[in-house]
């Protein structure tokens, strides 16, 4: 059985991951409506990854036979002043999630719940990548904000295809 404190925090994290999903959909829709198809595609894909994170956590709790709370989600920010703003917001969000995931790992460790601590390890690694991706992207959009087609070309070049399947990733609930 996972530690009660961990279950509580993991249920909270599920809400954060769903909120991240909604926020990235909002970013994608903003870029779509401004006709930046590559940036839109990137954020739609990021949104799906956040949903997967939530569903991996759901699967963990289902497997552990403890209560899963599918949460309501706070409304995302949907209006942005310029094309840099959604990326800046995304970087802030990823940094915040990194702290939350580290907090989850600490909660598991303090409770002596080593199984749950191990479950958090994949997410720690994932957050390092997500923060790096968003801070690279922020640098690119800031540098090229007056010439946005450069940004689109960069996205087409660097983020053209879906990331390769990660065999170490936890299973998202409901996935094939
Ligand atoms: Fe996530
Ligand atoms: Fe993320």
């Amino acid at each position: 059985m996972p530690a009660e404190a961990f279950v509580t925090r993991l249920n909270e994290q599920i809400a954060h991951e769903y909120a991240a999903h909604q926020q990235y959909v909002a970013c994608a829709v903003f870029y779509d409506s401004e006709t930046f198809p590559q940036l839109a595609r990137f954020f739609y894909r990021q949104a799906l990854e956040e949903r997967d994170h939530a569903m991996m956590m759901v699967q963990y709790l289902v497997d552990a036979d403890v209560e899963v709370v599918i949460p309501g989600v706070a409304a995302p920010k949907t209006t942005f002043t310029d094309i840099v703003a959604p990326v800046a917001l995304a970087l802030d969000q990823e940094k915040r999630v990194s702290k939350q995931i580290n907090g989850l790992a600490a909660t598991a460790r303090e409770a002596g719940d080593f199984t749950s601590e191990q479950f958090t390890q994949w997410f720690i690694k994932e957050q390092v990548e997500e923060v790096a991706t968003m801070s690279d992207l922020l640098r690119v959009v800031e540098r090229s904000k007056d010439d946005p087609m450069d940004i689109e070309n960069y996205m087409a070049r660097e983020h053209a295809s879906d990331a390769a399947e990660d065999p170490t990733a936890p299973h998202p609930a409901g996935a094939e």
Side-chain angles (χ1 to χ4, degrees):
M1 278 284 273
E4 218 178 291
F6 182 81
V7 172
T8 302
R9 284 199 73 153
L10 192 59
N11 271 307
E12 289 166 7
Q13 193 61 36
I14 291 169
H16 297 321
E17 300 294 335
Y18 276 124
H21 167 268
Q22 294 292 90
Q23 185 59 68
Y24 285 160
V25 170
C27 294
V29 166
F30 167 77
Y31 286 123
D32 226 353
S33 63
E34 300 282 323
T35 321
F36 291 108
Q38 297 294 338
L39 280 163
R41 208 162 74 95
F42 172 79
F43 276 99
Y44 284 126
R45 207 189 303 137
Q46 287 302 121
L48 287 177
E49 282 189 19
E50 300 304 344
R51 181 188 181 278
D52 274 351
H53 296 163
M55 295 305 262
M56 289 169 186
M57 294 169 183
V58 167
Q59 182 73 62
Y60 183 77
L61 294 174
V62 168
D63 285 345
D65 206 16
V66 291
E67 194 191 9
V68 192
V69 185
I70 300 303
V73 171
K77 189 171 165 45
T78 54
T79 54
F80 300 99
T81 48
D82 58 29
I83 62 166
V84 176
V87 181
L89 182 145
L91 178 58
D92 279 352
Q93 178 171 286
E94 292 301 341
K95 286 180 175 168
R96 193 169 61 243
V97 170
S98 293
K99 283 202 193 106
Q100 290 162 350
I101 299 285
N102 286 341
L104 266 173
T107 301
R109 185 174 294 189
E110 278 157 27
D113 178 357
F114 302 115
T115 308
S116 295
E117 188 188 345
Q118 193 195 42
F119 173 72
T120 64
Q121 298 306 303
W122 182 85
F123 293 92
I124 292 173
K125 177 184 67 113
E126 174 75 4
Q127 281 312 119
V128 172
E129 287 167 18
E130 300 234 302
V131 169
T133 302
M134 287 303 177
S135 52
D136 284 354
L137 184 55
L138 184 58
R139 227 169 283 131
V140 170
V141 292
E142 274 175 343
R143 192 165 58 215
S144 302
K145 59 174 179 279
D146 298 324
D147 199 355
M149 278 310 114
D150 281 356
I151 305 171
E152 286 286 283
N153 289 337
Y154 169 86
M155 297 310 286
R157 212 168 50 236
E158 301 293 323
H159 294 284
S161 59
D162 291 327
E165 194 97 4
D166 176 355
T168 66
H171 181 80
E176 297 294 305

